[in-house]
Amino acid sequence: MADTINHGATEVANPRYSVNQRSMLLIGLFFLSISAFFFIYTPAKISENSSAYIRLTTIKPEFILQDTGFLLYYGGWLILATLLVMGLYSLFLAYKGERPRSFDKKITRAMGYSIVLGFILMISGKFVAQMYWSNTFEQAGYVECENSFGMTQSWSTKVWAFNAESCRTPFDQDAIRQKQAEIAVVPES
């Protein structure tokens, strides 16, 4: 409900609108919890996969299954920051009980631009990380198998082998994943 302010002979509507404080509190907590989870999970996942791939290239198993889905995390920091700002702004609205219209438009526009830019950074970060890991695997002597999807039934998995002939032989991807997990966890003696 808009209040009116008397400025001489004319009345001007106050540009503030009430909000449901309970809803804003829940939305704010939701965005904060998602951003907190991913602020912790993203660096941990990048570190875990990076150290596993470096370790695998030094041990040199016959196959390396590369999870390309996690590469989106390399450029996703801006979206995480936007989720954090959205959560904080929702908590601010829950505290105030009303939203100032002029500030609301500015912050909404800034969040919209940062989400679009964040998706661009996620995609470009994925390509840069993929180029890095492809180069790392090729320098270790691996070749990328042409039919990775046919071999793994997964769009986000690339198969790397020591030679192209190995790519044509059937293999048990679950056993390879298990072996990679063991190699990545157990330190070299």
Side-chain angles (χ1 to χ4, degrees):
M1 67 187 152
D3 300 324
T4 57
I5 301 171
N6 189 353
H7 289 281
T10 61
E11 288 187 3
V12 178
N14 188 356
R16 294 181 180 269
Y17 297 94
S18 63
V19 295
N20 185 334
Q21 289 177 303
R22 185 176 301 145
S23 297
M24 286 294 115
L25 178 65
L26 292 175
I27 290 170
L29 292 175
F30 174 73
F31 282 127
L32 284 177
S33 61
I34 286 176
S35 61
F37 171 77
F38 279 108
F39 271 122
I40 294 168
Y41 177 77
T42 299
K45 185 70 171 170
I46 288 172
S47 174
E48 174 188 326
N49 283 339
S50 298
S51 64
Y53 291 152
I54 290 169
R55 193 159 174 70
L56 287 169
T57 56
T58 58
I59 293 176
K60 299 190 186 290
E62 184 179 359
F63 291 101
I64 292 180
L65 300 180
Q66 179 193 15
D67 177 15
T68 59
F70 92 94
L71 297 176
L72 286 172
Y73 294 130
Y74 278 84
W77 58 270
L78 185 61
I79 288 187
L80 294 177
T82 304
L83 288 176
L84 180 67
V85 169
M86 290 170 79
L88 292 173
Y89 184 61
S90 296
L91 291 178
F92 169 76
L93 293 178
Y95 173 73
K96 293 294 275 182
E98 58 186 17
R99 62 178 197 206
R101 188 160 174 82
S102 63
F103 183 67
D104 194 47
K105 285 182 180 182
K106 290 176 185 175
I107 197 160
T108 304
R109 183 179 301 133
M111 284 189 283
Y113 288 140
S114 66
I115 286 176
V116 171
L117 182 62
F119 279 119
I120 292 170
L121 285 175
M122 281 178 68
I123 293 168
S124 62
K126 178 184 181 345
F127 285 116
V128 168
Q130 182 57 44
M131 286 176 21
Y132 171 77
W133 287 115
S134 294
N135 188 29
T136 301
F137 294 142
E138 287 169 0
Q139 286 180 355
Y142 287 94
V143 293
E144 182 181 350
C145 294
E146 294 292 323
N147 189 17
S148 290
F149 176 75
M151 296 170 79
T152 63
Q153 304 302 314
S154 173
W155 290 109
S156 65
T157 302
K158 284 192 176 190
V159 180
W160 295 86
F162 267 121
N163 57 39
E165 291 299 318
S166 297
C167 293
R168 293 188 193 98
T169 60
F171 69 95
D172 182 10
Q173 70 171 323
D174 293 328
I176 292 173
R177 286 187 196 280
Q178 180 66 29
K179 186 175 181 179
Q180 279 186 195
E182 290 170 3
I183 289 171
V185 172
V186 177
E188 284 183 52
S189 48

